[in-house]
Amino acid sequence: MDREQFLLEMKKRTYIEVGSEAHLHMHEMAQRALKYTAEINSSYHTPHELGKLFFELIGQEYDETFGLFPPFHTDYGMNITVGKRVFINEGCCFQDQGGIYIGDDVLIGQQTVIATLNHDLRPERRGNMQPAPVKIGNRVWIGAHVTVLPGVTVGDGAVIAAGAVVTKDVPASAVVAGVPAKVIKYIE
């Protein structure tokens, strides 16, 4: 299975069985992602150099408005889409096989985890996975130590408070907090 076929299957949210072509492709691409993230995280790079490496990792044209403080980790890399003026703070981990879409003017706090795969709950099938994309709208602020689970959409202008675990969609202009995250107010 090549990358194009894999990404098409992820868009369809195709169930991934252990040992399948898709599963083997994920392991192959993880090695590529490890190579890039090792370079990103291994020594000092200028902001321009970091941006270039990050955009090579995700296979997107470099955008000079992007900012990244390493370390950064991902286990696929080629299913992340980043808008303009995005900043990703240190220690973030993106599990992007299912797709991570980040809008414009987004701030992502330290040690944020974005997951796009769920394992099967049945013990005999626990190694199998179900992908679901995460979509982050424009002008979103994600605080430090946030976890965003598979299938979540975060609306434009929303704020996710530090330490929140986001298990369901966040409305536009909402401030959510807690475990699981709940709306605590709206931004006027």
Side-chain angles (χ1 to χ4, degrees):
M1 175 173 282
D2 67 18
R3 183 173 59 91
E4 302 297 327
Q5 292 170 309
F6 179 80
L7 294 177
L8 181 61
E9 293 302 312
M10 294 304 96
K11 283 186 181 182
K12 294 183 203 174
R13 297 187 181 195
T14 302
Y15 185 77
I16 303 166
E17 293 189 27
V18 170
S20 68
E21 283 188 60
H23 188 245
L24 296 173
H25 174 77
M26 287 168 50
H27 282 276
E28 178 183 316
M29 292 299 287
Q31 295 306 305
R32 178 189 176 277
L34 286 168
K35 176 183 169 197
Y36 275 96
T37 56
E39 178 64 25
I40 287 169
N41 300 330
S42 66
S43 63
Y44 174 78
H45 299 283
T46 66
H48 177 79
E49 291 167 339
L50 279 173
K52 293 286 273 185
L53 284 167
F54 182 85
F55 280 90
E56 284 178 34
L57 166 66
I58 69 171
Q60 190 176 324
E61 187 174 325
Y62 173 60
D63 173 24
E64 292 183 10
T65 67
F66 174 79
L68 172 69
F69 284 176
F72 173 80
H73 300 280
T74 187
D75 51 5
Y76 189 78
M78 296 296 285
N79 208 2
I80 300 170
T81 303
V82 176
K84 302 285 186 194
R85 297 169 302 281
V86 169
F87 175 68
I88 300 172
N89 214 326
E90 63 183 348
C92 291
C93 296
F94 290 7
Q95 179 197 51
D96 68 298
Q97 288 92 337
I100 297 173
Y101 306 93
I102 301 170
D104 296 334
D105 303 299
V106 173
L107 303 173
I108 300 177
Q110 298 95 332
Q111 298 182 0
T112 291
V113 173
I114 301 176
T116 65
L117 293 174
N118 272 321
H119 285 277
D120 198 312
L121 289 177
R122 297 168 289 186
E124 67 277 5
R125 294 180 175 213
R126 188 69 41 85
N128 298 344
M129 295 162 276
Q130 184 70 51
V134 169
K135 298 175 182 175
I136 300 168
N138 298 318
R139 300 173 314 283
V140 170
W141 174 20
I142 299 175
H145 299 272
V146 166
T147 299
V148 181
L149 295 182
V152 167
T153 296
V154 179
D156 290 346
V159 175
I160 302 173
V165 176
V166 185
T167 62
K168 60 184 181 179
D169 291 353
V170 176
S173 300
V175 177
V176 299
V179 179
K182 293 183 178 12
V183 175
I184 58 172
K185 67 179 179 178
Y186 285 88
I187 302 164
E188 294 183 24

